[in-house]
Amino acid sequence: MTTDTVGGVWTYSLELIRAMAPHHVHFYLATMGAAITLQQRQELAALSNVTVYESEYQLEWMDYPWADVDAAGEWLLELSRELNPDLIHLNNFCHGQLPWNKPVLMVIHSCVQTWWRAVKNEKAPAGRDYYFERVREGLHAADVVVAPTQAMLTEAEAVYGTFSQKQVINNGRDPHAFRFGRKEPFIFSMGRVWDEAKNIALLTQVADAVDWPIYIAGDATHPATGENKLFKNVHFLGKLSQREISDWLSRASLYVLPAKYEPFGLSILEAAFSGCALVLGKIDSLKEVWDRSAEFVETNDVEGLTAILQKLIDDEFLRNIMACRAVKKAQDYTAALMAQEYLQAYASLQARVKTEAANQVETL
């Protein structure tokens, strides 16, 4: 399994590995993007069914990454020849077309092209054409393409063309990693603050118009450019540990993420398991996941977000109803359920590839 160390794919990967342990699935985890941090190393040490292979190769969405991407491909193929895994699980795109000689499952967590369409409301610039070609080639070379929501899969096919084999498997989290606490009068949000898709800026614009303080956690430094993005009017907490995040969520009454682009939203799920009422961006993927279990706001509507937040601040009964709905809906997205679906996908993919290979031999 490939993973990157600078985003939500890391959380997804470790959650899946952990949930697969009772099924006796062992992972060889190849890391890219940046060096593994001390906190990440501690997370890995708690897992019994993973062997880690580290690198700092640039990721395909970064600026001018292609020499690193190609070098990473050679490294991954060498690992595959050495380890002889049963299956390749790629959480990136550009290595899908490599001669693995193994079944390849590829997961669409997000991509530059769909991000650009959602966030900028236009096609990605011409400078991203090579990225587009490499990603399309990788996607169509995979034996099966998985997305965490139907909305993400639909968006990807609109950009890259229809995939012959595809499946939706929702992401999941372990509910036992989160807890209810005594709820306090504040609003909480978290995510990559530098990522326009999270739309943290909209939340900062309402800070002076609502009665409760707003706390925001997350990495403000862009991993590719080094640009640091902080906002006024809110309490910025920086990058927190998982234990610190769980504590803040357990106390927060409202969790707000007016995202313009969010293929699934693990942080939202964590907030729901923690008993927070949810206010989210009105986009297809989040409506698909949360339906009537969240309040939704247009992603450029400052007045609308202000009104929704103040309504929930003033109405404790409504706030509690929305929190209960979120908790109940979150039970559809546990790590155990995610693991079961991936286990079935792995088995189905292996069986299909073996059948196709046998049919080719008979044809010859």
Side-chain angles (χ1 to χ4, degrees), residues 169-217:
I169 300 179
N170 296 134
N171 291 342
R173 290 292 266 143
D174 180 2
H176 298 101
F178 306 94
R179 61 183 175 83
F180 291 82
R182 182 174 181 178
K183 292 302 182 182
E184 299 175 19
F186 67 85
I187 297 164
F188 187 67
S189 185
M190 61 179 171
R192 296 185 301 272
V193 178
W194 50 265
D195 186 349
E196 294 175 63
K198 304 301 181 186
N199 205 19
I200 298 295
L202 184 71
L203 182 56
T204 67
Q205 292 177 56
V206 308
D208 291 336
V210 296
D211 292 344
W212 284 359
I214 297 174
Y215 293 87
I216 297 175

Side-chain angles (χ1 to χ4, degrees), residues 91-109:
N91 289 310
N92 65 311
F93 304 115
C94 292
H95 298 129
Q97 79 285 1
L98 296 177
W100 294 105
N101 297 316
K102 301 286 183 180
V104 175
L105 177 147
M106 181 180 289
V107 184
I108 306 173
H109 294 283

